[in-house]
Amino acid sequence: MRIVEADIAIVGSGAGGGTVAARLAPLVARGKRVILFEQGPRFDYRRFNGHELEMSRMLYREGGGFMVADGTVSLAFVEGYGGSTVVYTGTSLEPPARIIERWNLPGLSPDELVRRARCYAQDNGVHALPAAQINENNRLFVAGCRELGWNATQFAVNTRGCLGSGLCNLGCPNNAKQGTHVVQLPRAESRGVEVITRARVMRLRERRLEVEVGLNPDGSPGEWEPGNYEVRARRVILAGGVVGSTTLLLRSGFDRTLPAVGRYFTCQPAHILVAEHPHPVQNALGHPKSFLWDERIESDHFFLETCMYPPFITAKNMTGFGPDHERFLRRFDHLQMILVLACDEALPNQRIVLDRRGNPQVRYRLDSRTIRALVGGTRAAAKIFFAAGALRVHAPSARPTCLETDARDRIETRIRTEYFLPGTVSVSAAHLMGGCRMGRSATDSVTNVDGQVHGYPWLHVADASLFPTALEANPYLTIMALADRVADAVLDKEHA
Ligand SMILES: Cc1cc2nc3c(=O)[nH]c(=O)nc-3n(C[C@H](O)[C@H](O)[C@H](O)COP(=O)(O)OP(=O)(O)OC[C@H]3O[C@@H](n4cnc5c(N)ncnc54)[C@H](O)[C@@H]3O)c2cc1C
Ligand code: SF4
């Protein structure tokens, strides 16, 4: 066992970890040693060749097929330098004021969080794509909404030099997407923060981390020799993401004093829906996402976004087998796609636990409110598809799942909650939140509003696990804003 001394140890290099590393980097010039541990490897963007199976296996935990315990939802998150920002689409939404107000946390105002998020938006080149770069898949969404009298909103994305290859979720082959692997981590490293990849933090004791540095067939070579290390750090910041940070606290026994660890997990479960048009649709080329429709978010708990996924991901996310399924896929170049996202409730029994081997298990049930939201979103999406001119629509909660144009006036009766049988309908989620939620006390939360773990002044959390409830929006800018806040609290203590 090798012993390493540090002033600050950060665990994880995604939206939260990358932000904290960049903010704490000036401490290095003041003689402090700051080390970030990332369990995955570094990837050279030139390796991102767009091959779905190869890239999914290389980048995602369990190839993107990490299932909740009852097998009803697959969770997507990445292990690598940059965390899930390597594969996110770059949808850049500001923290929604109504949700931050609902959190009702002392000292946390929507204005402050929005101000912080805007700094990162600027840092990450966030901008609305000009009309000439909006592809037909997105234009059809707008046209369908307009036909229905609904208001589709354009959102901004974080790219610099996007070439429209449409491969954002498999790693950008042009290094155009501005994740932490492109912006914050290289900046932190240039200022002396040590980023150690292939280094999994296994356990946490009082100011000590057990770190296993391993070999990995993918990515660039690691910085440290493989083996076991004990890292002694005065301060530790967890940014391993919802599953990573929670697992580390559970494995280290923190749930004995903090019963909320792992609880209040949400993931904004999603359906990928497709519809076939009579003419070819320019879908796979161009940036995949630029529009959303959220006019029923408060009453019906769902929102819709444009999306485009490559053929394998699309196939596995469609419900059913056989001729209907095959017919849609054979017409891939005629497909329009819409993502339905449900806003699920944060409940104490939706939780991450450890299995007998000490690995994370997500005990999550699709409850009736979430099912109603997914079905309501599917109905709304079907209306948009038909209004945009689609010939047939794939609707997972319809029987049969393929709706022809004669169904366009009977959407409410054809798409029904009774047909939504969890486990037979494909649901995936990429917006994991909670597990180490912020709050006022240790009875129902894990950290205070500055991300400091209750009762442990040396330990902080700075990632999506802090969210007290689902954000009801794409989360990365809010995660960066919260991590920025945690960094401020840490800097205050370091300067004191
Ligand atoms: C396909 C996809 C598309 C998305 N698109 C968008 C989008 O367009 N807009 C948006 O706002 N959000 C999007 N998201 C969500 C967004 O990427 C995540 O919410 C965000 O990256 C989470 O940040 P995080 O810091 O909590 O965790 P992550 O970014 O997941 O980073 C956690 C890192 O910690 C590491 N780690 C965990 N445990 C340990 C350990 N014990 N030791 C060492 N390292 C550890 C992991 O390997 C990982 O690299 C998307 C996500 C996915 C998967
Ligand atoms: S669409 Fe743009 S950001 Fe996405 S992978 Fe292609 S070049 Fe990168």
Side-chain angles (χ1 to χ4, degrees), residues 221-379:
E223 297 75 11
W224 285 3
E225 287 292 310
N228 294 330
Y229 293 77
E230 179 180 291
V231 177
R232 298 176 181 168
R234 284 191 300 104
R235 196 174 293 289
V236 177
I237 302 169
L238 302 184
V242 167
V243 173
S245 293
T246 305
T247 302
L248 193 49
L249 287 181
L250 289 172
R251 207 182 272 147
S252 311
F254 281 81
D255 50 325
R256 284 196 285 273
T257 48
L258 296 163
V261 174
R263 296 181 183 273
Y264 304 97
F265 169 86
T266 62
C267 58
Q268 298 189 163
H271 270 329
I272 295 169
L273 301 182
V274 304
E276 182 190 334
H277 281 264
H279 50 82
V281 174
Q282 194 213 28
N283 51 24
L285 285 183
H287 192 282
K289 280 189 168 207
S290 268
F291 287 89
L292 64 77
W293 180 72
D294 64 355
E295 289 176 328
R296 297 224 323 249
I297 194 165
E298 291 195 60
S299 56
D300 295 350
H301 312 293
F302 72 81
F303 58 111
L304 308 181
E305 290 182 352
T306 48
C307 70
M308 175 47 61
Y309 295 95
F312 178 79
I313 297 175
T314 305
K316 91 175 168 54
N317 279 288
M318 287 172 64
T319 294
F321 302 93
D324 274 349
H325 190 275
E326 187 181 336
R327 189 167 48 161
F328 278 108
L329 286 166
R330 283 193 182 283
R331 304 281 282 175
F332 192 82
D333 62 351
H334 287 57
L335 295 186
Q336 181 191 354
M337 290 192 201
I338 296 178
L339 190 69
V340 178
L341 294 115
C343 308
D344 48 348
E345 266 185 298
L347 301 168
N349 56 347
Q350 305 278 40
R351 59 191 291 217
I352 302 170
V353 297
L354 296 183
D355 67 13
R356 267 186 253 142
R357 292 164 149 179
N359 294 319
Q361 188 184 63
V362 180
R363 294 206 182 140
Y364 179 83
R365 277 193 63 230
L366 288 167
D367 61 18
S368 53
R369 184 181 113 163
T370 305
I371 291 172
R372 277 199 307 277
L374 286 169
V375 172
T378 305
R379 287 176 177 152

Side-chain angles (χ1 to χ4, degrees), residues 1 37-40 196-203 209-215 224-231 251:
M1 173 85 74
F37 297 99
E38 167 52 57
Q39 63 190 355
I196 312 301
T197 56
R198 301 156 183 267
R200 175 169 289 161
V201 180
M202 299 303 293
R203 254 173 222 88
L209 295 85
E210 287 172 27
V211 183
E212 275 181 22
V213 177
L215 295 167
W224 285 3
E225 287 292 310
N228 294 330
Y229 293 77
E230 179 180 291
V231 177
R251 207 182 272 147

Side-chain angles (χ1 to χ4, degrees), residues 11-17 37-40 60 76-80 82-85 87-91 169 199-201 239-242 244-245 248 430-432 462-465 474-477 479:
V11 182
S13 65
F37 297 99
E38 167 52 57
Q39 63 190 355
Y60 287 86
F77 54 103
V78 161
E79 298 183 345
S84 303
T85 75
V87 301
Y88 66 9
T89 321
T91 303
N169 302 140
R200 175 169 289 161
V201 180
V242 167
S245 293
L248 193 49
H431 296 166
L432 281 52
D463 59 24
S465 64
N474 308 49
Y476 93 83
L477 269 182
I479 298 166

Side-chain angles (χ1 to χ4, degrees), residues 404-476:
E404 310 282 344
T405 39
D406 61 356
R408 62 181 296 169
D409 299 323
R410 292 183 290 129
I411 298 288
E412 314 292 332
T413 51
R414 292 292 307 275
I415 301 175
R416 306 161 71 113
T417 47
E418 302 92 279
Y419 297 148
F420 188 111
L421 300 176
T424 66
V425 176
S426 187
V427 181
S428 56
H431 296 166
L432 281 52
M433 303 170 193
C436 306
R437 66 181 341 209
M438 298 179 287
R440 290 162 192 261
S441 82
T443 42
D444 64 353
S445 67
V446 176
T447 80
N448 69 15
V449 70
D450 294 329
Q452 188 221 291
V453 177
H454 296 303
Y456 299 88
W458 53 274
L459 183 58
H460 310 257
V461 178
D463 59 24
S465 64
L466 287 173
F467 286 50
T469 67
L471 191 70
E472 306 194 356
N474 308 49
Y476 93 83

Side-chain angles (χ1 to χ4, degrees), residues 18-248:
T19 303
V20 170
R23 284 295 319 279
L24 300 189
L27 291 175
V28 179
R30 296 178 51 211
K32 305 266 168 83
R33 187 174 188 192
V34 181
I35 310 181
L36 184 151
F37 297 99
E38 167 52 57
Q39 63 190 355
R42 289 173 198 259
F43 297 106
D44 181 333
Y45 71 89
R46 284 163 290 219
R47 283 279 325 266
F48 299 149
N49 59 18
H51 293 171
E52 284 185 79
L53 295 185
E54 187 186 341
M55 293 300 105
S56 300
R57 185 197 57 73
M58 186 171 96
L59 295 169
Y60 287 86
R61 171 92 178 225
E62 295 182 19
F66 183 100
M67 302 300 289
V68 302
D70 72 2
T72 54
V73 185
S74 63
L75 305 178
F77 54 103
V78 161
E79 298 183 345
Y81 181 88
S84 303
T85 75
V86 175
V87 301
Y88 66 9
T89 321
T91 303
S92 302
L93 299 182
E94 292 187 348
R98 71 194 163 79
I99 301 296
I100 313 303
E101 271 158 15
R102 205 180 293 159
W103 290 352
N104 190 23
L105 289 170
L108 186 72
S109 75
D111 287 353
E112 181 212 317
L113 224 47
V114 167
R115 180 178 53 73
R116 289 180 191 269
R118 284 186 183 162
C119 292
Y120 287 95
Q122 201 170 11
D123 216 22
N124 289 3
V126 169
H127 64 288
L129 292 181
Q133 284 179 34
I134 301 293
N135 72 7
E136 195 180 356
N137 183 51
N138 279 273
R139 288 200 300 271
L140 286 170
F141 182 83
V142 178
C145 285
R146 192 174 299 135
E147 179 72 18
L148 294 164
W150 300 354
N151 186 25
T153 315
Q154 183 173 6
F155 52 74
V157 297
N158 64 351
T159 61
R160 286 192 171 100
C162 173
L163 298 179
S165 59
L167 294 167
C168 310
N169 302 140
L170 300 173
C172 175
N174 305 308
N175 224 25
K177 204 174 44 173
Q178 303 291 294
T180 55
H181 58 305
V182 176
V183 183
Q184 287 78 23
L185 291 167
R187 182 182 301 156
E189 287 190 276
S190 72
R191 292 179 186 170
V193 173
E194 297 164 61
V195 176
I196 312 301
T197 56
R198 301 156 183 267
R200 175 169 289 161
V201 180
M202 299 303 293
R203 254 173 222 88
L204 201 57
R205 307 274 173 238
E206 180 80 23
R207 295 184 166 88
R208 279 160 205 244
L209 295 85
E210 287 172 27
V211 183
E212 275 181 22
V213 177
L215 295 167
N216 188 314
D218 299 308
S220 312
E223 297 75 11
W224 285 3
E225 287 292 310
N228 294 330
Y229 293 77
E230 179 180 291
V231 177
R232 298 176 181 168
R234 284 191 300 104
R235 196 174 293 289
V236 177
I237 302 169
L238 302 184
V242 167
V243 173
S245 293
T246 305
T247 302
L248 193 49

